[in-house]
Amino acid sequence: MADPRVAAEQAQTRAAAEPLLRVRDLKKYFPLRQGFWAALRGQGDGLAIRAVDGVSFDLHPGESLGLAGESGCGKTTTGKLVLKLMEPTEGEILFDGRSLRDLSGADLKLFRRRAQLMFQNPYEALNPRFTIYRSILEPLLIHGIGDAQEREERVFQALERVHLSPPGNFLGKYPHQLSGGQLQRVVLARALVLEPIFLVADEPVSMLDVSVRAGILNLMREMRRELNLAVIYISHDLSLIQYMCERTAIMYLGRIVELGPTERVIGEPLHPYTQALVSAVPVPDPHHRASALLIKESVPTPIHLPPGCRFQDRCPRAMPKCREPVPLVRWEDGRLVECHLYAS
Ligand code: SF4
């Protein structure tokens, strides 16, 4: 583990620098398709799934940010939007000072080189008909990088960097000949061969055996430090987020409800939803007495949302005021929380 004082100094230096990624009031709505009879009755017009609904955050060079929350909270859609894999309904995404909306042609190609995605499922991320060599070579060919000899050297270096060595043992193999852990290292090598400055890792180890997860996570931490990569980790697993991320954003039904340094958000959560998530994390101590914060299990649909706080139907601390618009409060330690409990 890094020295916490050094980590705090690094975080301060970063905070003073210009963000690499600036996301403001980002929205992504998916219009609902109406059936024939609903169309006849005039139902369903204007209805939409509000997958992401007003998300704002910054990410600095070399920083790690976790996006956490239950399935359907909008974290994966947010990851796709900041990689320009889909277009937002509203809002602004600036990458290195430029709006993603304006990128096209050579600028878009350069963005594709600098911003990479690490897939959740390494078994589906690689072409089964390509050797490992060809899989890692492909992005270099697409982006026209180097001559044949330079590309070959880069493929070798990429495999060594992810500790698949000697590379000669892997280059001629096909994906089905490697284990899940080795495949995920290949996926990481393919993402890093273009020397990106920004990576989105969507549930990077959820498909792997528990026994190999720690190795992949340690490798990713090492890569981030070595390459000064800015990384967004998307996961429902708070233990992973706690281990990998300097800052954490908790998402609920398309909104960030708490955002701040990971040790504060997970160590002393403010928002009742974060408290419930944290209380559900298993602790490997037989003497530990869990103080679970119980919430109702049903998540409202992101189509018919209640006025005011979206968590009100599940929140054990809900009050009449929670039906009113919820303020975003900057708490005394600097973190942001969207909850009436903390408004003055
Ligand atoms: Fe609970 Fe009200 Fe806070 Fe929402 S605003 S999390 S309902 S206390």
Side-chain angles (χ1 to χ4, degrees):
M1 294 280 281
D3 182 331
R5 278 173 308 178
V6 175
E9 275 171 27
Q10 285 173 341
Q12 269 180 2
T13 313
R14 282 198 204 111
E18 275 298 300
L20 175 66
L21 182 73
R22 178 164 278 181
V23 177
R24 289 294 176 271
D25 204 18
L26 188 63
K27 296 179 182 169
K28 181 67 184 176
Y29 296 171
F30 296 100
L32 275 187
R33 275 205 210 130
Q34 354 169 15
F36 177 73
W37 294 111
L40 272 187
R41 289 194 295 268
Q43 295 171 340
D45 281 342
L47 287 182
I49 296 174
R50 291 188 255 168
V52 176
D53 200 11
V55 160
S56 300
F57 63 87
D58 289 341
L59 181 72
H60 290 85
E63 189 185 22
S64 53
L65 172 73
L67 290 185
E70 293 163 294
S71 305
C73 68
K75 54 191 190 304
T76 292
T77 305
T78 303
K80 287 180 179 169
L81 289 167
V82 298
L83 285 174
K84 203 171 166 61
L85 297 178
M86 56 172 64
E87 291 300 321
T89 308
E90 277 179 41
E92 188 75 273
I93 305 170
L94 298 179
F95 182 81
D96 210 6
R98 293 199 59 186
S99 169
L100 290 195
R101 278 186 201 276
D102 300 338
L103 296 186
S104 61
D107 292 336
L108 180 57
K109 199 166 180 187
L110 180 61
F111 171 73
R112 294 267 174 253
R113 185 172 158 182
R114 300 171 85 197
Q116 291 289 311
L117 170 66
M118 187 172 171
F119 292 91
Q120 177 177 4
N121 187 348
Y123 302 94
E124 289 178 359
L126 298 169
N127 187 328
R129 288 176 299 169
F130 280 3
T131 60
I132 300 307
Y133 176 71
R134 180 66 199 271
S135 291
I136 302 175
L137 181 70
E138 193 72 0
L140 296 172
L141 291 172
I142 289 170
H143 287 274
I145 294 170
D147 56 22
Q149 188 187 343
E150 191 185 336
R151 287 196 285 266
E152 189 171 313
E153 280 167 14
R154 281 192 181 228
V155 174
F156 269 70
Q157 284 167 2
L159 281 174
E160 278 174 344
R161 194 176 258 165
V162 298
H163 304 172
L164 287 177
S165 53
N169 286 357
F170 298 92
L171 292 171
K173 291 193 170 164
Y174 287 87
H176 72 271
Q177 294 174 295
L178 301 189
S179 68
Q182 288 173 329
L183 280 182
Q184 198 57 310
R185 284 172 194 262
V186 173
V187 170
L188 187 58
R190 191 182 57 175
L192 299 183
V193 75
L194 291 173
E195 299 181 349
I197 55 175
F198 172 45
L199 179 75
V200 174
D202 189 356
E203 302 280 8
V205 293
S206 63
M207 300 295 288
L208 303 180
D209 288 344
V210 174
S211 56
V212 298
R213 287 184 187 182
I216 298 292
L217 293 178
N218 285 333
L219 177 64
M220 292 183 75
R221 279 170 62 120
E222 188 185 313
M223 294 296 99
R224 187 174 71 79
R225 271 200 304 272
E226 259 180 36
L227 305 173
N228 197 35
L229 260 180
V231 185
I232 292 180
Y233 290 97
I234 296 171
S235 182
H236 65 280
D237 181 350
L238 285 189
S239 319
L240 181 150
I241 296 281
Q242 193 168 21
Y243 186 60
M244 302 297 284
C245 303
E246 294 158 302
R247 286 192 306 137
T248 294
I250 303 291
M251 289 190 71
Y252 186 75
L253 282 180
R255 292 192 63 80
I256 290 178
V257 295
E258 187 163 355
L259 171 64
T262 298
E263 77 270 12
R264 306 293 301 158
V265 172
I266 297 183
E268 290 176 45
L270 291 173
H271 196 281
Y273 178 61
T274 318
Q275 290 170 355
L277 286 183
V278 170
S279 72
V281 174
V283 176
D285 175 2
H287 304 295
H288 177 78
R289 290 281 166 267
S291 53
L293 186 69
L294 295 177
I295 55 174
K296 291 179 214 157
E297 278 182 20
S298 63
V299 187
T301 136
I303 305 165
H304 302 288
L305 291 165
C309 178
R310 293 171 184 205
F311 189 53
Q312 62 185 269
D313 291 341
R314 302 175 79 194
C315 181
R317 303 178 70 183
M319 48 193 165
K321 199 175 178 47
C322 300
R323 292 196 201 97
E324 296 170 16
V326 194
L328 182 66
V329 179
R330 184 170 288 280
W331 194 236
E332 37 207 49
D333 60 6
R335 79 182 118 160
L336 297 167
V337 59
E338 196 175 76
C339 175
H340 278 295
L341 290 172
Y342 304 97
S344 51

